[in-house]
Amino acid sequence: MASSRKSQQSPNPGKRIAVALSGGLDSVVLLDTVCKAQAKSGNKSQSTNQVYVFHVHHGLQKAADEWLIFCEKLAKQYKVHFDFRLLHLGADEARGNIEARARAGRYEALADLCEEYGIEDLLLAHHQNDQAETVLLQLLRGSGVAGLSGMPQARGLSSNQRLTLWRPLLNQSRQELEAYAKEHRLKWIEDPSNQDRKYRRNAIRKDIIPKLEKIQPEALANMARSAELLGEAQTLLNRLAQQDGKSILIEDQLKVSPLLALAKDDLPAANNVLRYWLHIQNLAMPSQERLQSWWRDLAQVKTDSKLEWLHDEKKIYLWRGALQVGNAEEGRWILKTLPANSKQLGLPADWVKDAQVNNQITLRERLGSEKIQIKPKTPRKTLKNLYQEADVPPWERQAPLLYIGEELIAVAGIGLSYPHLKSTGRRVLPEWVQNPVK
């Protein structure tokens, strides 16, 4: 992703909120209502919110550049801050479910923008029709309560714990939004891909929903109400999973032995605990077939055996009697400069600088015989023993080792070579930083 033209930030105090603007009817109406509400509040108080407008350029349509220009001009018209992200879908992503890939990338891009500008509230323009389409799509997929509860009016985002997504138009129909737009003479753009029935959502929008409304005029409102009720039911199921999983859900792990014991007595309860664990790991719900295959695997596997599942583009491992989601193995070593008054041990900065100049800092793959001393008055130990003592799972032992010359200096998840550390003078601290999960 890339970012470009940024509007000048206002020095005025006030909370910052952001509106995701695609240029379509719903987001244009949302922006108009937000700005008019801000104008009214500004007449009464000097501490009004600062409004930011964020646009995601997908590059999937020929007119995408024109949409970007339209959104930027609209932001200038309302005199609000504007920024955007270019979203590049790779060849592998384009071959898959393009709708899902684009949606995931869009949320990631918006979260990045909110992080950059210190925004904790992001407003999305999903409306009642969108909710009905989502419920019908999930119903066709055979989803459970979680899927059928649709989109919540507010939720947090896993990639940014401080960010809350809001959907203030969720109880408004598209017909009501169109009436508002015409009354206030708003202009918007139409995405031609919304007419393409090869996408299931469009087929539902064009073919199914109009027929449902003929049968039942309140169909959209009724489906939205059902989604809200199912959302409440899912909240109760999550609470039940927490109670049933007290001896099963340990931090980020899922203990297999008590899970199997629960499944033997109450399989629906065990399924609920397993689904809840997947939910808090930000993973998709499994199909019924996949869920059944997992139970077969768990019933047959031995205590000390290894098990690996690929699910939702992540790996789930069985290790030491517990299921865990493998962390990203890709990352990089960084050299962090310690403050002058810090008491933390670090490597002499001049020594590290000389090593950099002479190209003596290298990254090497683990061979199996390496040793390092990480504590005072202790012998050098093999990495195998140190990994075992630290309970580092096998899939987290793949980070490259940091060498200066022929000296092993740092091991991710283990520590630094103690004999090389100093407590005074200019110091740097090697840190292994994992790449963010996409």
Side-chain angles (χ1 to χ4, degrees), residues 131-201:
Q131 183 74 298
E133 293 163 13
T134 299
V135 170
L136 289 172
L137 278 171
Q138 296 294 345
L139 188 63
L140 292 175
R141 292 172 182 148
S143 298
V145 175
L148 294 175
S149 60
M151 299 177 289
Q153 287 199 329
R155 74 173 178 90
L157 200 64
S158 60
S159 60
N160 186 338
Q161 299 296 329
R162 296 175 298 175
L163 180 62
T164 300
L165 305 182
W166 299 90
R167 296 182 174 92
L169 303 180
L170 209 52
N171 290 323
Q172 304 294 313
S173 69
R174 179 177 174 84
Q175 185 177 5
E176 290 172 320
L177 299 185
E178 287 178 346
Y180 178 94
K182 290 178 181 178
E183 178 184 353
H184 293 84
R185 298 180 180 179
L186 303 181
K187 294 182 180 180
W188 64 91
I189 55 179
E190 295 287 353
D191 184 348
S193 68
N194 288 337
Q195 307 300 320
D196 192 344
R197 284 175 167 81
K198 75 177 182 181
Y199 299 118
R200 285 178 295 179
R201 182 177 288 273

